[in-house]
């Protein structure tokens, strides 16, 4: 993968992956940082990445793992200082329906939340979700079913009109 191909890959997928990781972890700033770090790592592994069937999945998994690692360090109170301080980024405000969805997702157990995001927001089939999370397909189907049922309850009272569960909000 040359520089132009990588730049095109980054441009085409950064916002989508950030939205997906945000939905998984519930913190937009953290999601952006983790996705940026994942792309730095992807650049270092670009020769291997160009042979991968799904380079976007590689970046998403790496970003999620980074977020989990950061959460663990923070939880233990051993988080290292930020490596660099940069100017504040100006970002577009997030659609309030998406914020409500993320807030509801945060209330679900992490395995259900991750399965829902990968299946419905990343448009991965059940088999691909199972491969990405390392669980049997039946387990993923159960997580999806339980997660959808829980989301229906969580979103029924506080969802803005016009929200549709299957619609992509990334």
């Amino acid at each position: 993968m040359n520089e132009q191909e990588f730049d095109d890959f980054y441009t085409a997928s950064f916002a989508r992956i950030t939205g997906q990781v945000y939905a998984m972890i519930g913190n937009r700033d953290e999601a952006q940082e983790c996705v940026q770090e994942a792309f730095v790592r992807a650049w270092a592994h670009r020769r291997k990445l160009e042979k991968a069937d799904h380079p976007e999945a590689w970046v998403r998994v790496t970003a999620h793992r980074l977020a989990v690692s950061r959460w663990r360090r923070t939880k233990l109170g051993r988080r290292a200082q930020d490596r660099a301080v940069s100017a504040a980024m100006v970002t577009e405000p997030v659609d309030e329906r998406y914020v409500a969805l993320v807030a509801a997702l945060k209330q679900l157990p992490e395995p259900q939340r991750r399965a829902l995001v990968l299946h419905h927001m990343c448009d991965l089939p059940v088999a691909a979700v199972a491969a990405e999370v390392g669980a049997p397909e039946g387990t993923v189907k159960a997580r999806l079913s339980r997660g959808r049922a829980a989301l229906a309850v969580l979103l029924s009272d506080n969802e803005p009109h016009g929200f549709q569960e299957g619609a992509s909000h990334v």
Side-chain angles (χ1 to χ4, degrees), residues 22 25 27-34 36 70 91:
Y22 168 45
I25 67 173
N27 183 318
R28 187 173 188 207
D29 293 333
E30 191 75 15
Q32 286 177 328
E33 289 180 23
C34 290
Q36 287 171 349
R70 286 176 172 214
T91 58

Side-chain angles (χ1 to χ4, degrees), residues 117-165:
V117 170
L118 291 173
H119 185 67
H120 292 287
M121 296 178 77
C122 301
D123 294 323
L124 296 180
V126 171
V129 173
E132 190 164 321
V133 301
E137 288 185 36
T139 301
V140 170
K141 289 177 183 177
R143 289 174 183 170
L144 288 169
S145 176
R146 290 182 189 123
R148 283 190 289 260
L151 273 182
V153 171
L154 291 168
L155 293 173
S156 64
D157 293 330
N158 47 341
E159 71 180 32
H161 295 293
F163 180 81
Q164 295 178 339
E165 180 179 318

Side-chain angles (χ1 to χ4, degrees), residues 63-82:
H64 183 260
R65 288 179 179 160
L66 287 165
V68 169
S69 294
R70 286 176 172 214
W71 175 81
R72 286 181 181 145
R73 280 194 307 269
T74 301
K75 186 77 172 168
L76 297 174
R78 294 181 280 144
R79 185 171 181 185
Q81 292 185 355
D82 290 338

